[in-house]
Amino acid sequence: MTRSALAPLTPTQLEEGASKCLALQQSGQDLHGKRPFAAILLGPDNATQLMSSLSLSHVRHAECELARNAADNYDWDYLAGCTMVSTWEPCAMCAGTIYWAHIGRLVYLASEKTLQDMIGAGNPENLTLDLPCREVFVAGQTKVEVIGPLSDEGWENRVVDDARRYWSKYGQS
């Protein structure tokens, strides 16, 4: 099964989406004491923010929550033209949920490998999997376009710098 064509994502739209997502991660920590993970959903115009989510717990990750809510509230074909922007690379669970929600594009700012390097292996606050989201998506029957990590653009460093505030409470960073 093929997806509808996604509108090209311009550098300005990418910058604006990344900025909104990092601001959400920052406010999640500052205002709500949440873990440093955030995701937003952009409409097919790559500019309209439809939804957002923070990480709620070890199993209620920002990307899963957002994908589930989007699937409950938007048409399957409409979501195929949408873009999820996430501060961190989605884990296998989140990638699977993005796939099943039929979201057409994922942009992530920082890699899961960078997260593991920052917090250390075996950290009970976040037991990362060594399974890149691209590997999950390639196993599917429909394509999910993936852009990330945005290290050349400086976003990965900004996400890491912000997340260190949280992880330093756990002796990591």
Side-chain angles (χ1 to χ4, degrees):
M1 174 182 280
T2 60
R3 294 181 186 260
S4 304
L6 287 160
L9 188 62
T10 69
T12 299
Q13 291 169 329
L14 184 64
E15 187 80 12
E16 288 173 359
S19 182
K20 287 177 184 178
C21 197
L22 180 56
L24 179 62
Q25 175 177 292
Q26 291 166 337
S27 69
Q29 287 188 85
D30 296 343
L31 302 176
H32 308 292
K34 297 296 183 186
R35 303 167 83 225
F37 301 95
I40 64 171
L41 184 66
L42 300 177
D45 65 359
N46 295 323
T48 305
Q49 182 177 323
L50 302 173
M51 304 179 115
S52 66
S53 187
L54 297 166
S55 179
L56 303 178
S57 72
H58 287 77
V59 295
R60 295 184 66 196
H61 298 177
E63 302 89 349
C64 272
E65 293 299 305
L66 183 60
R68 284 186 186 110
N69 285 331
D72 286 345
N73 288 284
Y74 293 99
D75 180 73
W76 168 277
D77 290 328
Y78 182 78
L79 287 174
C82 292
T83 298
M84 179 185 288
V85 181
S86 177
T87 50
W88 292 95
E89 179 179 5
C91 71
M93 174 181 69
C94 293
T97 309
I98 292 164
Y99 172 82
W100 284 106
H102 205 63
I103 295 170
R105 180 187 295 126
L106 167 69
V107 174
Y108 66 91
L109 310 183
S111 73
E112 190 171 30
K113 184 67 176 151
T114 297
L115 175 63
Q116 184 179 26
D117 291 345
M118 181 178 66
I119 66 173
N123 185 319
E125 273 295 303
N126 194 321
L127 295 171
T128 59
L129 293 167
D130 188 14
L131 182 59
C133 67
R134 283 177 172 87
E135 290 184 30
V136 175
F137 294 137
V138 78
Q141 296 180 53
T142 59
K143 183 180 185 320
V144 176
E145 180 183 327
V146 180
I147 301 170
L150 300 183
S151 49
D152 291 344
E153 296 84 349
W155 285 106
E156 186 165 48
N157 287 335
R158 286 181 249 179
V159 168
V160 168
D161 288 345
D162 179 66
R164 286 187 199 284
R165 298 182 304 135
Y166 178 87
W167 296 111
S168 65
K169 297 176 203 172
Y170 297 94
Q172 305 295 321
S173 74

